[in-house]
Amino acid sequence: MKLVIRVKLLPTPQQASALQATLHACNEAANHASRCAFTTGIKRNRELRTQIYAQLKDRWGLGAQAAQHVIKKTCDAYAALAGGLKAGTFGRPGSKRRAKATGKPITFRPDAAQPYDDRMLSWQTEQRTISIWTVQGRMKRIPYTGQEDQLVLLARRRQGESDLIQQNGHWYLLATIDLPEPPENPAPQGFIGVDLGIENIATTSTGKRHSGRQTNRTRENDRRLRRDLAKKNTRSAKRRAKRNAGKQARRTRDINHKISKHIVAEAQRTGRGIALEDLSGIRERARLKKPQRVTLNSWAFGQLGSFIAYKARKAGVPVVYVNPAYTSQECSQCHHIDKRNRPRQAVFTCRSCGFVEHADLNASHTIAQRGWWMWVRGAESQVPVLRLVA
């Protein structure tokens, strides 16, 4: 199981200047490679390398390994774009979003991440320093720091490339470690269903609700602040906007980490699996009013799901994905489906058997049942057949 550890570099001003010049040179070269790939249609690593490898070394002063990584980074970006187009991430063919994504070359920010392999970067884990290639020569004995438990794992299990990034004036290396996965529980004692939403970020079939009320209020205040600062457009407003940039994303990430940790810990403690809704493409399928679209699109449901998935793998907890269709309308007791079963956002009242429960909790029970249905049949790629009631 591969995980990413972020370590903070502590360079001197001279070393930081060299690192910044290196990032800028690599990303300028990547933009040149992207323009060539877009113009010629050559987007495979080997073919593109034949075309521009020498140019990158001569014009931007890149080393052999750096030039190859720049080309590979460019090809990977186009491969990711092709995958997104195939999955419908950029909308339907002919849409403005899709035309915007495909109508010009991919561009890289001046401080976008640059990959390093062991020829360009060496770790002195005992001294906790690194030696790294830059366009101004090799920089040695740059100290780094991080969480103690993560640094111990880094020293023992680091594997593959690392990415150099700059964030808010600080320098980091994203290093990959390879951890052995514990065996997955072969016989879970049922499943914990997780219903994701906006009023309640996550509701589990065990009765735990992670409320999103305070979070939504804070995010609305953040949106209002960004809008007001953009209207002012003064120098001080821009400075304040820059200070607040990324604050909401960090807060959301922290909340998702805490929720996912709680859900996985409960599943591991009780010997159960976790059932999640397959929400891929929800933004394209949802038909909501504009204020609701803003709220839906700004919450990282995919991030929360990925956090639950990787922490479950780390704990040996099985995870299944179920069809999300009609989970809010199906009765978890008699399985009667009717849109009138949910007269209000938080209320579920079955029109067939009279069962009454909080709507999100009822949906989580339905998700748990579908997860168990899929597990016992060993058909995780299939979805149950639902009875629709007019």
Side-chain angles (χ1 to χ4, degrees):
M1 177 179 183
K2 295 187 183 299
L3 296 177
V4 176
I5 288 180
R6 186 173 77 162
V7 298
K8 184 176 182 180
L9 302 182
L10 304 172
T12 64
Q14 180 183 2
Q15 292 169 336
S17 177
L19 292 176
Q20 188 172 49
T22 301
L23 270 193
H24 287 183
C26 290
N27 286 303
E28 286 179 10
N31 285 328
H32 174 71
S34 178
R35 289 191 295 269
C36 292
F38 183 81
T39 303
T40 62
I42 300 174
K43 298 174 182 177
R44 292 183 178 273
N45 191 359
R46 182 174 298 179
E47 290 82 353
L48 188 59
R49 188 190 313 164
T50 304
Q51 297 289 326
I52 63 171
Y53 175 73
Q55 298 177 30
L56 301 186
K57 294 183 64 178
D58 296 339
R59 183 173 174 181
W60 284 278
L62 303 185
Q65 292 299 113
Q68 293 191 46
H69 281 297
V70 163
I71 296 170
K72 184 177 183 298
K73 178 170 74 170
T74 303
C75 294
D76 289 345
Y78 277 103
L81 174 61
L85 294 173
K86 186 177 180 180
T89 306
F90 298 96
R92 299 176 180 177
S95 64
K96 292 183 179 180
R97 187 180 178 193
R98 192 181 185 97
K100 183 179 179 180
T102 58
K104 59 182 180 180
I106 293 175
T107 57
F108 297 87
R109 293 176 289 104
D111 56 349
Q114 174 63 21
Y116 276 75
D117 60 21
D118 287 342
R119 295 185 182 182
M120 304 166 63
L121 171 68
S122 59
W123 299 76
Q124 297 82 46
T125 53
E126 292 185 1
Q127 295 79 20
R128 294 192 175 172
T129 61
I130 62 163
S131 171
I132 189 170
W133 172 87
T134 71
V135 291
Q136 298 178 9
R138 192 92 177 183
M139 294 290 170
K140 300 181 179 180
R141 294 184 293 278
I142 299 179
Y144 65 86
T145 186
Q147 295 184 17
E148 186 63 31
D149 57 337
Q150 293 186 353
L151 295 181
V152 172
L153 287 175
L154 179 69
R156 294 177 179 175
R157 298 192 173 275
R158 186 186 64 82
Q159 187 179 72
E161 299 175 355
S162 303
D163 287 344
L164 175 69
I165 62 171
Q166 183 187 26
Q167 293 180 345
N168 300 323
H170 300 289
W171 291 92
Y172 301 93
L173 279 170
L174 305 181
T176 303
I177 63 171
D178 191 8
L179 291 177
E181 289 187 33
E184 186 180 82
N185 182 2
Q189 304 300 309
F191 277 78
I192 295 178
V194 182
D195 178 62
L196 304 180
I198 302 225
E199 291 297 325
N200 293 303
I201 300 172
T203 303
T204 68
S205 55
T206 57
K208 177 65 176 178
R209 282 184 294 189
H210 300 272
S211 175
R213 183 174 302 174
Q214 180 62 41
T215 302
N216 291 331
R217 189 179 299 118
T218 304
R219 290 164 61 228
E220 178 58 34
N221 292 336
D222 288 342
R223 284 196 292 269
R224 190 180 300 112
L225 175 62
R226 288 198 303 270
R227 185 170 59 249
D228 293 342
L229 293 175
K231 287 180 180 179
K232 288 184 177 181
N233 199 31
T234 61
R235 187 175 298 178
S236 61
K238 291 178 181 178
R239 284 199 299 267
R240 187 176 179 187
K242 185 176 180 180
R243 286 197 301 268
N244 285 275
K247 187 176 181 181
Q248 179 180 322
R250 292 192 297 271
R251 186 188 302 117
T252 299
R253 186 179 183 88
D254 179 64
I255 293 172
N256 284 341
H257 268 302
K258 290 177 180 177
I259 293 175
S260 59
K261 182 178 180 180
H262 175 87
I263 293 172
V264 172
E266 184 176 17
Q268 185 181 27
R269 185 179 66 252
T270 58
R272 285 181 281 189
I274 298 174
L276 299 172
E277 295 175 287
D278 181 6
L279 297 178
S280 57
I282 185 174
R283 288 180 171 86
E284 288 72 29
R285 297 196 306 268
R287 296 292 182 266
L288 302 172
K289 297 180 181 179
K290 188 173 181 179
Q292 295 173 311
R293 290 201 302 268
V294 172
T295 304
L296 175 67
N297 293 336
S298 60
W299 187 257
F301 292 110
Q303 184 186 80
L304 176 57
S306 67
F307 285 176
I308 293 174
Y310 95 77
K311 289 178 182 179
R313 285 181 58 193
K314 194 175 177 181
V317 174
V319 175
V320 297
Y321 293 85
V322 305
N323 183 4
Y326 307 106
T327 53
S328 63
Q329 300 176 18
E330 179 180 348
C331 176
S332 60
Q333 301 299 310
C334 70
H335 305 290
H336 174 79
I337 299 175
D338 192 330
K339 63 181 180 181
R340 295 173 296 176
N341 285 348
R342 193 167 180 175
R344 295 192 299 277
Q345 187 276 331
V347 177
F348 184 91
T349 304
C350 181
R351 298 181 68 87
S352 177
C353 69
F355 176 70
V356 178
E357 196 170 35
H358 190 282
D360 293 340
L361 185 57
N362 175 77
S364 68
H365 287 308
T366 301
I367 294 168
Q369 292 164 4
R370 293 186 186 184
W372 178 249
W373 185 94
M374 294 171 65
W375 178 265
V376 297
R377 287 162 177 78
E380 297 186 18
S381 61
Q382 299 180 11
V383 295
V385 178
L386 303 178
R387 296 183 295 107
L388 303 183
V389 179

